[in-house]
Amino acid sequence: MLNLKGEQVYLRALEPTDLDFLYKLENDTSVWEVSGTLKPYSKKVLQLYLDNAHRDIYDVKQLRLSISNHQDDCIGLIDLFDFDPKHRRAGVGIVIVKPGDRNKGAGAEALSLLCDYAFSTLDLHQLYANILEDNEASIHLFQKMGFEEVGIKKEWIRTSKGFKNEIMYQKINSNES
């Protein structure tokens, strides 16, 4: 049986009460570089997103889950995107919002729970992540969780300081028979 609960965190669907959290995160310009965001989001637009967050991953090709601690505080988000059921793969993105909540195992546990869900429930063959070369924390996390570096996209992301390389990581489902 699938369990989306770990010792530190659990994964859950987004709720209407997550609007303020989502508003702060999506309008935090420090994460725009990795999210591809170019402009702020209004609460109205985010409310519409939350109103449709229940839609099936097979329909919208993505899934966003809250990473919540056992005090029921949302501390981050984890996403499956570019879901491709034919080729049985999806991209993974994760953010732990507050620096004080990072490097304590919550991200690793959330990623482990998501991988288990993707491989066992969605029957995916592989997951992938694209990480900027200077994002040492994410590189460490994904390598620790068994993702392997498979390539580099040269000068892939344009920033205010020039272009950055993006490293591609994959994790193949090792439990397939």
Side-chain angles (χ1 to χ4, degrees), residues 2-176:
L2 178 70
N3 185 2
L4 292 176
K5 292 186 179 182
E7 291 181 19
Q8 294 185 54
V9 298
Y10 66 95
L11 306 181
R12 65 165 174 78
L14 293 177
E15 299 286 350
T17 54
D18 293 323
L19 178 61
D20 288 336
F21 179 86
L22 203 57
Y23 181 76
K24 286 178 188 169
L25 175 62
E26 294 293 353
N27 290 298
D28 179 352
T29 57
S30 71
V31 297
W32 284 11
E33 185 175 275
V34 295
S35 69
T37 302
L38 297 174
K39 63 181 178 59
Y41 284 94
S42 69
K43 283 192 175 183
K44 182 178 180 180
V45 167
L46 293 171
Q47 184 62 58
L48 289 171
Y49 170 78
L50 285 173
D51 291 344
N52 286 288
H54 68 280
R55 293 180 59 198
D56 190 87
I57 188 172
Y58 288 90
D59 179 30
V60 296
K61 308 296 186 224
Q62 64 182 10
L63 174 68
R64 175 169 274 182
L65 298 171
S66 166
I67 303 169
S68 297
N69 62 26
H70 292 297
Q71 291 75 43
D72 297 321
D73 298 320
C74 181
I75 64 168
L77 299 172
I78 193 162
D79 300 328
L80 288 176
F81 61 90
D82 292 341
F83 174 69
D84 185 338
K86 179 182 188 313
H87 298 291
R88 297 174 49 214
R89 66 178 173 235
V92 178
I94 184 171
V95 62
I96 303 292
V97 176
K98 294 180 184 173
D101 289 330
R102 297 178 190 155
N103 298 313
K104 295 182 178 176
E109 189 170 70
L111 186 54
S112 176
L113 293 167
L114 185 76
C115 288
D116 290 346
Y117 171 76
F119 292 148
S120 65
T121 301
L122 299 176
D123 193 34
L124 294 184
H125 174 65
Q126 66 178 287
L127 295 171
Y128 65 89
N130 301 311
I131 305 170
L132 291 179
E133 64 187 338
D134 60 354
N135 189 341
E136 295 175 12
S138 285
I139 289 169
H140 176 75
L141 170 65
F142 279 86
Q143 287 177 342
K144 175 180 167 183
M145 300 310 298
F147 284 72
E148 295 180 29
E149 182 179 329
V150 295
I152 298 176
K153 298 177 196 172
K154 300 283 186 181
E155 299 182 15
W156 195 253
I157 300 295
R158 182 177 172 212
T159 72
S160 61
K161 296 177 181 166
F163 287 89
K164 291 185 180 180
N165 295 338
E166 188 173 77
I167 306 171
M168 302 177 339
Y169 287 88
Q170 284 179 297
K171 182 172 185 168
I172 307 294
N173 185 354
S174 61
N175 296 324
E176 286 186 310

